[in-house]
Amino acid sequence: MDKVAHPPLSTAGNRYARRTIWLLAIVAVRHHAAYRTYFDQRTSAGKNKMHTLVAIGRKLLCTIFAILRTGRPYDSAYRHSTALSVSAVA
């Protein structure tokens, strides 16, 4: 059985939306250092490049959704903290 060099994209969902997310992930890996680092870490750990791009696409979608939900502009320095501060509890 021949191994497929480039597995096809999933056929579930809107193909235009899937393709757009796919292209966003590729551009993010090329031009954004944090996504490139994430891509390199996963691929060096033995993960499939296609699956890594899908994971990056999901991260991008979560970021886009958060921007739309909160109405705040994107801040690359923002890091979500799961720990509650003392002032938030009081």
Side-chain angles (χ1 to χ4, degrees), residues 21-85:
I21 294 164
W22 173 258
L23 291 173
L24 285 172
I26 291 172
V27 170
V29 168
R30 285 185 187 163
H31 299 289
H32 197 279
Y35 291 111
R36 183 66 200 187
T37 303
Y38 181 73
F39 180 83
D40 291 339
Q41 286 174 350
R42 281 184 56 109
T43 53
S44 66
K47 302 290 184 183
N48 185 323
K49 289 180 182 180
M50 176 74 79
H51 294 165
T52 302
L53 286 173
V54 169
I56 290 171
R58 186 175 191 287
K59 286 179 173 288
L60 289 169
L61 282 176
C62 289
T63 302
I64 292 168
F65 181 70
I67 291 169
L68 293 173
R69 185 184 65 229
T70 62
R72 286 189 251 157
Y74 176 72
D75 180 14
S76 62
Y78 177 79
R79 296 288 182 243
H80 180 69
S81 175
T82 56
L84 292 174
S85 65

